[in-house]
Structure formats: structure tokens, C-alpha cells
Amino acid sequence: MISKSVLPIEAVSDEVCQSLRRGNVVLQAEPGAGKSTGLPLHILAAGFDGKILMLEPRRIAAENVASRLAAQLGESLGHSIGLRMRGRTVVSKNTRLEVVTEGVLTRILQNDPLLEGIGIIIFDEFHERSLHADLGLALCLDVQRDVRDDLRLLLMSATLDSDALGKHLGGTDPITCEVRQHPVEIQWRAIGRSSMLHAAAQTVTEAVENHDGDALVFLPGVAEIHRVANLLKEKLPGNIEVHRLHRGITSTAQTAATRPSKANTRRVILCTSIAETSITIDGVSIVVDSGVERRSRLDASTGIERLESVMASKASATQRAGRAGRTRAGVCYRLWSEESHSSRAASWQAEILRSDLTSLLLESWQWGVADIFTLPWIDPPPLGAIEQARSLLVKLGIWTTDGLTAQGRAIARLPVDPRIGHMLLWSAANDSLHQAVSLAALLDDMPRQSDVDLTNALLNPSSGHKRKQKQLTELVQQIIASTPTLISDLRSGDDANSGPIDPGALLVQAYPDRVARRRTSGRDNNDIRYQLSGGSGAVLHEHDPITTHEYIVVSSLGGQGSESRIFTALPLNIAELQQCSANLFEAQDQVQWDDKLERVIAERQQRIGSIIISRQTITEISPDLRSAALVDGIRKQGISTLGWSDESREWQ
């Protein structure tokens, strides 16, 4: 039996159910209304046909919401309320409402395009506009339009352009639920980014001295969480526990961070933006907001997705501040000035407009749509990003003009990025699957670390990484067994490689455009400059040990400016790469004018992308190529380089 509550969402729950019987619904409900933990139970009790799927944007949110829904019914998770996400499934034949992460919906749709047995799909916190949320909605609308006019969709968030979404979903009128929020006092602190972490620690110390309740501290990423935690060790009294909340923590640590405080203790919870929505943390009356978050952005000029630290939007700042006023009056310290607040974006750009779209394009092809723009997108994906994604998928052998290849169909079945999927299948065909799954598990869930070189992290995997390795190994082996021709298609030579392949050479199978060579004259301030095979440049601090290697392969990079900063990489043995992946290299003959030597030179270059690996002088040059190079030199140096006399010039 559903427990009684006084959640504000109850005021509109009947209206939502009535509207769902007629069509799709858009619900705008402020934080604390109970849209995630109250409304789904009301819909469940209304007796709709079919199962309910409820999407959450993050794993932590999915676990938290599912557990709370089950607890309200007095049941254990897996009975009426189920949970499904990558690596964990808790459902039974009695499950009527499944809380799933967004990627799971994509897999469900690809495996069962008719969505048989599913009556309602709820998109929670839709304002985050992740790639999977936009893709999931587009595919659901495609299904609804063609074969399932009885399918119902409910979009929920506190901050939505509800009128535009209502039109996109078929002209439905949005439903609004207001909440009588407890007052939250905003205190502004004009802090520069260079001193943000020390200011955050000092502000937390001051806040817990002057106010009651627990504190929620928003920081850009995991590295900043660890540094502020260390700064707080000597500042806080013994009755205050410091917890860390981010996507990489264990379920035990997550429970400790989100459950109510013990008697006579208080909590300081250091978190990333995952705690903005969905996750309910009782007892919080203090928020300290750095105002900075980490976002990925595709550099249109290079095709590289950068991880950048950016100012959180006004909508995010509002969501974060609201965390302090859910149960009583609270206070929010913002570590920026009130004057600069107006320069922040109203809301953050949808992921589909700023991210690498390789996986999105692969999913649409697997769906059977050759032209991705025919799907009903809220925001159509940028053409440039689609062309870059198409180019990479062709290079990896996933797509041809005839459609998805056998390798492409196999990669689409793997719960990883297409780049990593290619690395896994290639390694399986070349007797290196064990090393590749270790690398894939590390890359899938790795907090930013001080060491750029991933070698030590590979040698010391966590228990969570070991579990992922086992799951990935079993899945790859199943796929290989069901498609035996993949082995011969992906072998690097006539015979498989003998012995383990260097991790760097494996990583190149995922990032052939991120092989990097140290520039001989590449010092810039305290940085060493690198040339990437994809054509762009990147930098590393000169004291980083990995700079002793001439060649590396980069797994993540970011920052701002003309050149990216390398965050993580592996050393690369270029000779071994040539041996196991000769197809990545090409020979090019170059005949050109040399400004320094003031003559035509010719050489045969061995290249990987934009990087020249070796040069060999060519002695025999065709007259046409020599003439073209000479003309180019004359254009560069001017007509005077021909040595004509004044008399000849006068005659000319």
C-alpha cells in the first residue's frame, strides 16, 4: 500500500494521469515537489496498462530514486519497483515500474523497437538534455508515430522550456506544480578561480560554525573534491563527517553520503553537479557553490572533444541553492560576485549541440535510419559534428556506403563508446583481450588523476574495475562466438600477434587520431608541445615523466586555448605499432621547395595521420613535379630569385 505523504506533487497528480490517458505530458515541477519519488507511485496506482519505465540521468540518481520508491511501498527493491542499469539489474516478474539509466532505454529500444509490454516512459530531469535522453525521446517518438500510438511519454523537470516541448510532443499543454520553498539566503563571495579551493574550504568552515544542519558543497570534479577534503581535515571539529559524492564512488559510500546524519553528528558532503537534482539528501540547510562545473565540448576545428571547466548556468545555480531550502530555511554561499552572475548563461546547451556524436550516429544506423536528420529531434544535431563522426566510423571500419559492417553491428551491441568497442574487438582478434578489457574498464570510470601516464593505474586496478573487466570479457567473447568471421576480418596480419600487445598500441585502436609526437622545438613556457596525428596540437607540463617518451597516445584532453592540455595518456612504442597495425601507416612522396636550402627537395615520408614518422630522400623526380615545386619556390621568394639582369627585367 502506498504510504501517505504531503508532497506538493499530489495537487497535480490526478491531472497528470488524466492527461496521460489522452496523450503525452510535459510537467514542470520545482525542486522538492516530489515528481521523482511521489508522482511515479501515483501513476502506478492509477492502473495504466503495461510497465512503466522511468529514466534517470545518472546511476547514483537511479539507485537513490528506486530505493526510495520501493521503501514507500514497504517493499524491497526488485518487487514492484525495479532497477536496471549497466552492470546491475534488480527486477522480478512482479516488477511494474523500472527505474533505468538513460543508456539502458537505448538498449531496450534497439532490442525491442515495438516496446512490447511497456505503456509509459517517464523522462526525469529532462532539462539536463543528455545525448541518451535526446536520442531516447527521438526513438520513442519515432515508435509512437509509426506503430505505437498507445505509448505515452512524460517529460519532467524543474527547469524546462515547457511550451516548446509541449508542441514537440504533439501539442500538449504543460502542467505546472509550484512548491512553497523555504527561504534561502544568498551570500555572494567574489573569489577568483585560482583561489577557489582554499576559499571553498574556508567558507565551509565558516558556514558550519554559523549555521545548523548539513552542508552540500558543489565542486567542478573529483580532483577538486579530494583537495578540498584534505584542506578540511584540520579545519572541522570531530563531530562533522566529510563525505564525497561523485559518479566513481561505491554504493556503500553513496549510501553513507545520502542517508540522514547520525545522532550528534553533522555532515559536509563534497559533490559534483550530480547532486543538483534527483538525489534527495535530508538534513541539508547549507550550500556552498563554487559556481564551476566540468563539461565536454567538441572542438569543431579539430574534431576533438575537450573537457572544460565552465561557469555553471543560472538554472544550475538556482537548482543548487534550492537544496538548502527543502526542509527548512537555509543559506547558500556563492563563490562569485552578484554583478558577474548576470553574465552566466540562462541554461546549459544540450549535449547534442556540443559533443562528439559518434555513438549517436552509430545508434541511429543500428535503428535503421540512414539519414539521422529524419528522426524527430528537439534540436537537430550539427551537420559538422555528424560528418566528423561519420569520418571516424568509416576509418574504424564500422560503416561503409553499403551500411553497417559486421564489425559495426558487433560494436553496437557493446555498452561502450564505439572507439572502445573497436579496441575490444580488435584485441580479441589479436590475442590481447585481457589487456584491452583492463584498459576499457579503467577508461570507463576513472576520476581525473595527478599522473598523466595511465600505466600505474592499469597495474593496480580497483575491485570495481575488475568486475567490469569480467563483464566485458564475457560479452566480447559471446559476440565473437556469434560472429566468427570477425576474427579473420580484424586480424592485423596473416597470423595473430604472439604475446601481449603494448597497452599504448592497444589504445591507438580506439584513438588513431590521438597518436602524439613530441616536437623537437616544442617548449612553450613550462610546457612541452606535441603534434597529434589528427592534425591539432597539445601540451604537457615539462616535468611530467611521460614527456621522456617521444611518442604517446592520448585518451583524454581538454582545457581552453589554441592547444589542448593532455590529461591522460600512455607511452607508445612506435615500432611495435607499425608491426601490429601497419594499416594505420601510409607512405607519401613529397616534392617541394625548401626555403632554407633554396632548392627543390624530394622525400618519401612514412606517416600516421599528420605525424611524419620517417623520411627517405628520393633521387629521381619527374620533370612535372620538379617544375611545380620550382614555381612554388619562385612564388614564395619573388621573381628576383631567378637572377635576371637589369637588362632582362627591362626587356620583360
Side-chain angles (χ1 to χ4, degrees):
M1 180 178 178
I2 299 177
S3 60
K4 296 293 183 181
S5 66
V6 289
L7 293 171
I9 201 67
E10 290 188 354
V12 298
S13 293
D14 287 339
E15 182 183 357
V16 170
C17 289
Q18 291 167 8
S19 297
L20 278 173
R21 296 192 185 281
R22 296 190 297 268
N24 300 327
V25 177
V26 175
L27 171 65
Q28 184 167 346
E30 296 177 14
K35 62 182 178 299
S36 302
T37 55
L39 180 60
L41 296 181
H42 196 95
I43 296 173
L44 189 66
F48 285 91
D49 292 334
K51 183 182 291 186
I52 302 169
L53 294 185
M54 180 172 173
L55 276 70
E56 291 295 336
R58 299 181 178 90
R59 293 171 63 93
I60 289 179
E63 289 180 310
N64 184 277
V65 168
S67 297
R68 282 184 172 258
L69 290 172
Q72 289 182 77
L73 294 178
E75 298 176 354
S76 59
L77 190 60
H79 192 63
S80 297
I81 309 298
L83 173 66
R84 194 184 298 269
M85 55 190 188
R86 194 173 69 188
R88 187 183 179 198
T89 300
V90 189
V91 298
S92 68
K93 62 180 181 180
N94 299 313
T95 300
R96 298 166 54 213
L97 189 158
E98 280 190 32
V99 181
V100 303
T101 48
E102 291 171 337
V104 170
L105 175 63
T106 307
R107 296 272 63 78
I108 291 173
L109 280 158
Q110 296 286 19
N111 293 330
D112 178 16
L114 296 180
L115 294 175
E116 293 184 5
I118 296 172
I120 299 174
I121 299 179
I122 303 172
F123 293 77
D124 196 15
E125 306 301 351
F126 189 74
H127 71 279
E128 296 199 12
R129 295 292 303 282
S130 71
L131 273 180
H132 273 298
D134 271 22
L135 174 63
L137 180 61
L139 297 185
C140 285
L141 288 170
D142 197 38
V143 171
Q144 192 180 59
R145 177 178 60 190
D146 292 341
V147 292
R148 282 289 311 276
D149 59 2
D150 61 322
L151 181 67
R152 295 292 179 260
L153 308 177
L154 168 60
L155 272 59
M156 308 194 303
S157 178
T159 51
L160 283 173
D161 184 352
S162 52
D163 290 331
L165 283 176
K167 292 178 182 177
H168 189 72
L169 263 64
T172 181
D173 292 328
I175 298 173
T176 301
C177 176
E178 297 181 355
V179 177
R180 188 181 294 277
Q181 180 87 2
H182 294 278
V184 176
E185 176 190 357
I186 304 295
Q187 295 199 17
W188 305 89
R189 303 287 175 94
I191 303 297
R193 285 198 185 185
S194 60
S195 58
M196 179 188 69
L197 301 184
H198 285 277
Q202 183 57 44
T203 303
V204 169
T205 304
E206 176 188 332
V208 296
E209 287 178 355
N210 297 331
H211 303 277
D212 296 329
D214 296 334
L216 192 59
V217 185
F218 287 96
L219 295 165
V222 177
E224 291 82 1
I225 286 175
H226 292 329
R227 288 181 62 186
V228 171
N230 289 332
L231 291 171
L232 289 174
K233 282 182 180 178
E234 306 299 326
K235 294 178 178 290
L236 297 177
N239 69 323
I240 298 182
E241 300 175 347
V242 176
H243 295 273
R244 308 174 199 209
L245 188 58
H246 54 82
R247 68 184 294 264
I249 64 173
T250 64
S251 296
T252 302
Q254 175 189 328
T255 300
T258 56
R259 69 188 175 196
S261 301
K262 302 173 185 175
N264 302 318
T265 63
R266 297 172 65 188
R267 294 174 301 169
V268 170
I269 304 159
L270 309 176
C271 65
T272 59
S273 57
I274 64 170
E276 276 183 24
T277 56
S278 296
I279 300 175
T280 301
I281 306 175
D282 295 327
V284 171
S285 61
I286 303 166
V287 166
V288 176
D289 186 1
S290 69
V292 182
E293 61 183 294
R294 213 150 266 138
R295 293 273 184 176
S296 61
R297 180 181 67 82
L298 186 69
D299 187 329
S301 63
T302 64
I304 290 177
E305 194 170 41
R306 296 188 182 193
L307 196 60
E308 297 179 342
S309 295
V310 298
M311 293 189 300
S313 67
K314 292 177 184 176
S316 290
T318 300
Q319 293 268 24
R320 295 176 180 190
R323 287 292 179 178
R326 285 205 163 186
T327 56
R328 54 173 161 166
V331 60
C332 174
Y333 294 83
R334 288 177 173 168
L335 304 186
W336 65 95
S337 67
E338 187 173 7
E339 292 75 21
S340 67
H341 186 69
S342 61
S343 65
R344 292 175 178 253
S347 58
W348 196 247
Q349 196 177 39
E351 199 173 0
I352 197 172
L353 299 176
R354 57 181 171 82
S355 295
D356 178 2
L357 301 183
T358 309
S359 59
L360 188 81
L361 188 57
L362 177 58
E363 293 288 357
S364 71
W365 285 339
Q366 188 189 9
W367 185 250
V369 176
D371 182 359
I372 192 172
F373 296 101
T374 61
L375 287 172
W377 302 104
I378 296 174
D379 294 302
L383 179 60
I386 289 297
E387 289 306 316
Q388 287 171 339
R390 188 191 308 274
S391 176
L392 176 64
L393 291 171
V394 169
K395 187 173 186 177
L396 294 177
I398 291 173
W399 172 263
T400 68
T401 53
D402 294 328
L404 275 180
T405 63
Q407 182 194 170
R409 289 190 293 273
I411 288 174
R413 294 166 58 188
L414 289 168
V416 293
D417 182 270
R419 289 178 179 267
I420 304 302
H422 178 265
M423 179 186 73
L424 289 172
L425 292 184
W426 184 92
S427 69
N430 290 278
D431 297 336
S432 298
L433 182 58
H434 178 72
Q435 299 103 289
V437 294
S438 298
L439 185 54
L442 179 65
L443 296 173
D444 181 58
D445 189 16
M446 184 188 63
R448 286 183 66 182
Q449 54 179 39
S450 56
D451 294 334
V452 171
D453 193 343
L454 295 174
T455 302
N456 286 334
L458 271 175
L459 294 174
N460 300 285
S462 67
S463 58
H465 290 161
K466 290 178 181 177
R467 286 193 298 272
K468 288 179 182 176
Q469 290 174 33
K470 184 175 182 295
Q471 294 164 359
L472 280 175
T473 300
E474 292 174 350
L475 185 53
V476 171
Q477 288 172 340
Q478 290 171 9
I479 291 173
I480 290 290
S482 64
T483 318
T485 57
L486 282 178
I487 293 292
S488 58
D489 291 344
L490 290 167
R491 279 196 195 281
S492 59
D494 293 334
D495 298 307
N497 292 281
S498 58
I501 294 176
D502 180 74
L506 284 175
L507 190 58
V508 173
Q509 309 310 318
Y511 298 103
D513 52 339
R514 295 192 197 174
V515 175
R517 185 178 190 179
R518 191 179 59 231
R519 297 179 191 261
T520 54
S521 59
R523 191 177 299 277
D524 183 14
N525 298 324
N526 294 322
D527 289 329
I528 301 294
R529 298 177 65 231
Y530 280 81
Q531 169 73 40
L532 295 179
S533 54
S536 60
V539 297
L540 264 174
H541 194 278
E542 63 179 345
H543 296 307
D544 196 290
I546 203 172
T547 58
T548 60
H549 297 272
E550 181 181 7
Y551 292 96
I552 60 176
V553 54
V554 180
S555 57
S556 67
L557 67 172
Q560 297 172 332
S562 59
E563 291 187 309
S564 303
R565 181 161 295 278
I566 297 170
F567 291 153
T568 55
L570 279 170
L572 179 62
N573 184 324
I574 200 70
E576 180 174 338
L577 182 64
Q578 285 179 300
Q579 183 179 359
C580 70
S581 295
N583 62 299
L584 295 177
F585 296 79
E586 60 179 343
Q588 288 186 4
D589 290 347
Q590 293 287 333
V591 180
Q592 58 193 20
W593 176 266
D594 189 298
D595 291 331
K596 291 182 180 179
L597 298 176
E598 294 187 334
R599 64 181 176 85
V600 173
I601 62 170
E603 60 185 19
R604 180 158 295 149
Q605 299 175 350
Q606 188 75 8
R607 306 170 68 100
I608 178 168
S610 298
I611 298 176
I612 301 173
I613 306 299
S614 62
R615 291 180 166 94
Q616 181 182 359
T617 300
I618 302 174
T619 54
E620 305 224 354
I621 312 170
S622 72
D624 289 344
L625 290 176
R626 183 182 292 276
S627 298
L630 277 170
V631 170
D632 184 55
I634 293 169
R635 286 197 180 106
K636 288 180 178 178
Q637 296 202 343
I639 200 73
S640 60
T641 194
L642 294 177
W644 285 356
S645 65
D646 291 342
E647 187 177 331
S648 298
R649 292 287 293 154
E650 194 171 311
W651 176 83
Q652 186 191 27

